[in-house]
Every structure is written in C-alpha cells, then in structure tokens.
Amino acid sequence: MRGPAAPTSPGPWDPRSEALLRLAAPAALAPPVPAGPAEAIQQPAPALGPRAPRRATADPVKALMHRHRELCERAVDPLEIAAGLEAHGVTDRTAARFRHRDVFSLAEELYARVPRGDSAPARPAPEAPAPGGTAAWALAACAPGTVAVLTTAGLALTQGALRGAVGALGALGLAAALLVAVRRGPLHADGRTAPAARLWTLWLLAYAVAGDGLLDQLLTGGPDGATWSLVTPGGPAAPADGAWLLDTGPLLALALAVAPAAWCARLFAVRARRRLAASRGLADFAAGVRPLLLSTVALPLALLAGLLALTGFSPGALALGALLLLARLLTVHGPPETAAHGLAAACAAEALSLALVLAARLPGCAFLDAPVRAAVDTWGPAAVPALACGAAALALLAHATTALSRASAHATAR
C-alpha cells in the first residue's frame, strides 16, 4: 500500500537542498540556519585570504632591523651600523633589495627607526680629545728611540764587563719602552694583540741584531768559543777574526722609526674616519682608503731607509720595519690573527735557514744548506731576513689592502 503523500508545507531543512542552493545563489543569500556537515567542511576556506603573507613582506627593512636589533641599539651613529652590516656581508647590491642605494642609506634608516631610551650612548665628539692625550702617546712613541740612543752611547763609552751590563740593561729598557709605545695612542690595539705576536716580534728584533753574524759563523764552521764583537754606529765596521758580530745599528734605526710610524698610523685612522663619514658607498670608501694605506706604509719606510743609511743600511732591517708596521696596523684595525701569522712565518723562515745550515753538518746532508749558502754568497747574510720578512710583508700588504679598506675596520675612532 502506498503511504501518505508528501506534505506541501515546509518541512525540516535538507542538507542536499542547501548544497544545491549554494551552487545556484550567491553566498550572501544563504539562509541563516544551522550549518550542515557539508558546510562545516567548506567553512574554513574563506578565512585563507591572499593578503596575509603580503603584509609580512611589505616592509623588508623591518625584518633586517629585528635581525640586527642589538647592533642598531648599541650604535652611536649610522656609520657604526653601516660598518656592522658590512661585517655581516651586507653590500651595496644587497641594500638595493631593501630599496636603498647603498649600505650607508640603509644604515641611516635603521638608526632612525630603532627606538632608544634615555640610557642610549651619545654620539662621540672626535674633535674634542682629552687634555694631554696627544702629548702622552707622542712621548710614549718617542720612548723606544730615546732608550736606544742612550744605550748606544753607553755601549760606545764602555768596555769589558761593564759594556755587557749596559747592553743588557739597554735591551730590557728598550723592551719596556716598546710595550709603553704600543699601549698608548694610535698603536694601541685594545687587547686585540695575539699573545704569540710578542714572542715573534722579540725573535725578529733579536735576529736583526745577532742573526746575520750567527749565520755567517755557521756557514764558516763556527762559532768557535764564546767570542763576540759588538758593532755600534760610528764604531769599527769589521769584527775581530772568528768573532760573532752583534750589530746594533738596525735596532737603533727601528727604534727611532717608532715615532714617525705612530704619527702616520694616527693620520691613517683620522683620515679614514673622515672618509667614512663622507662616503656614500662601500666601493667609494674602499677606493679612497687604499691610496691612503699605501702612503701610510711608504712614508715611514722612507724615513726608516734614511735612518738606516745613517746607522748602517741593512735590507733585512728595512723589510722587518715594513713587516712590523703592517702587522701593527692589522692588529689595530683588522684581524690580529693574520698579523701574528705573518710574523710567525718570517720567524719560521729565519729559524729554518739556521737549522738547514746546522743540519748540513751531518754526514750525507751537505746539500741541505745549498739554498742558504747560494743566497748568502750572492747578497750576503742580510739576504735571509730580507727575503723572509719581505715575503711576509708583501703577503700582509696584499691582505691589508682588502681588510683595511672595509668600513668595519674604521667603525670607531681608535
């Protein structure tokens, strides 16, 4: 039997009818009734709009600001931010992706946008140095030369055991004066000096005094006994027969050259800082700093060559002066480890030369000292320190032209 006819009055809402209605009519005309199973599955879709990710990338500088927030809050001016960004690999080409023409313009926006409290550091005033500051480091830079001159005069006026005592006291005084000179003024590295660099420097200075004489004695079969002859500027140029020559002339010239080297380092730091403030791009800054660096190295070397001409010219001492100056500039403004490696390489080359000559005395090993003997026969004993220190100095100069032409090397006044 057929059941009763379907009622013509509205009955309960059918989900299938609702789905058909949604296909035929706009979503805004859907009746406000409880959602069915089909609608519960489709309802989260309208919440996924395409504008949500666009809001996160609308301000590209904001993400960079949060990434380097500590740098931006600590900086005293936009130049420090620019130097810090460069140290993290941000270049002018990278700044273009942040809608800026260069790193300096990007740093200015970061500096302006980062909030600072009342305890934020104030911008330094480089034109107002502390009273007596320049005079203090200038006197410290002149201390090695003064001690060296007094020691040389004492050695020329004394004989025998007293002369040895004067030489020992002079060596200690010179070491103390050098420590004072590098702890003040433009040669001060703020604790960045590698500990081994001091040992390498002492070895190089000791070889400048006694290394050539020792090498000459080793090549001629000595040294026999403990006889040594000290040669001072203005004294006899030739030592006694079979004596070990100790030449104080190169050390005197190097000590006197500390003062002009400090002044040139000061000039380099000041002019590089001004160039950094006036530059509008990293490439522009680097192009202006490289000639300044070369002149900073060339001028002290020219003065050292003149001093060596007066005290007894030695190419090894000239190369050593270039090596020590470049190593100190890199320690003050750049990575100190690189400077220590350059000094260590020169020490290793000099020590290897002496070791090869000694090893050649072993049976069947006479060929080991052939390179050293050929160099000494051609250019003299000074060829060994000249080649060792000269090669290390050229390597440091090539590295310095890149490392010291970065803005991060001159972010703060030193």
Side-chain angles (χ1 to χ4, degrees):
M1 234 179 126
R2 182 177 298 179
T8 57
S9 60
W13 184 263
D14 188 0
R16 289 175 296 179
S17 301
E18 179 189 8
L20 294 175
L21 182 59
R22 285 183 178 276
L23 293 176
L29 299 179
V33 293
E39 185 182 6
I41 298 175
Q42 298 177 0
Q43 190 171 0
L48 300 177
R51 293 185 178 181
R54 291 182 182 177
R55 293 176 183 175
T57 58
D59 188 3
V61 179
K62 188 175 182 180
L64 184 68
M65 181 178 63
H66 284 290
R67 191 182 311 162
H68 302 284
R69 189 173 188 87
E70 183 180 357
L71 169 66
C72 298
E73 291 178 347
R74 189 180 65 249
V76 297
D77 56 19
L79 297 180
E80 287 195 15
I81 299 180
L85 292 177
E86 185 209 29
H88 286 85
V90 179
T91 62
D92 291 337
R93 182 176 298 180
T94 309
R97 298 204 299 264
F98 295 95
R99 305 170 187 174
H100 283 272
R101 64 182 181 274
D102 50 44
V103 175
F104 294 92
S105 175
L106 177 61
E108 289 174 356
E109 180 179 350
L110 292 174
Y111 183 79
R113 292 181 58 175
V114 172
R116 290 174 175 80
D118 297 336
S119 60
R123 182 168 181 163
E127 301 298 332
T134 302
W137 70 256
L139 291 175
C142 294
T146 303
V147 174
V149 170
L150 294 177
T151 303
T152 302
L155 292 174
L157 297 176
T158 56
Q159 295 291 335
L162 181 58
R163 194 180 196 189
V166 170
L169 291 176
L172 294 176
L174 182 58
L178 287 174
L179 288 177
V180 172
V182 299
R183 289 184 177 180
R184 289 180 176 270
L187 299 179
H188 181 44
D190 295 328
R192 292 158 46 89
T193 304
R198 299 184 180 93
L199 178 61
W200 310 141
T201 302
L202 291 177
W203 167 276
L204 292 171
L205 293 176
Y207 192 96
V209 175
D212 292 348
L214 176 60
L215 181 60
D216 183 68
Q217 286 292 309
L218 292 177
L219 289 174
T220 56
D224 298 326
T227 304
W228 55 274
S229 178
L230 183 64
V231 176
T232 58
D241 294 338
W244 181 0
L245 173 63
L246 304 180
D247 190 2
T248 61
L251 190 59
L252 174 61
L254 289 169
L256 291 173
V258 172
W263 279 104
C264 291
R266 173 66 174 175
L267 181 64
F268 174 70
V270 171
R271 295 193 63 180
R273 180 72 177 179
R274 292 176 181 173
R275 183 77 183 181
L276 179 61
S279 298
R280 298 309 308 169
L282 297 177
D284 178 42
F285 173 74
V289 169
R290 288 192 186 101
L292 179 60
L293 173 63
L294 295 178
S295 61
T296 301
V297 175
L299 182 57
L301 289 183
L303 295 175
L304 177 59
L307 292 172
L308 287 172
L310 297 176
T311 59
F313 186 79
S314 172
L318 184 62
L320 175 58
L323 175 60
L324 294 177
L325 176 59
L326 287 166
R328 199 60 195 175
L329 288 176
L330 281 172
T331 302
V332 174
H333 298 282
E337 294 79 11
T338 305
H341 294 162
L343 296 174
C347 292
E350 293 178 348
L352 180 61
S353 300
L354 299 175
L356 288 176
V357 175
L358 288 174
R361 297 181 179 183
L362 298 175
C365 299
F367 64 93
L368 292 177
D369 68 342
V372 179
R373 190 176 295 274
V376 172
D377 292 341
T378 305
W379 298 293
V384 171
L387 293 175
C389 297
L394 287 177
L396 290 187
L397 179 61
H399 178 75
T401 53
T402 301
L404 300 189
S405 61
R406 296 173 181 168
S408 55
H410 311 278
T412 56
R414 298 185 184 271

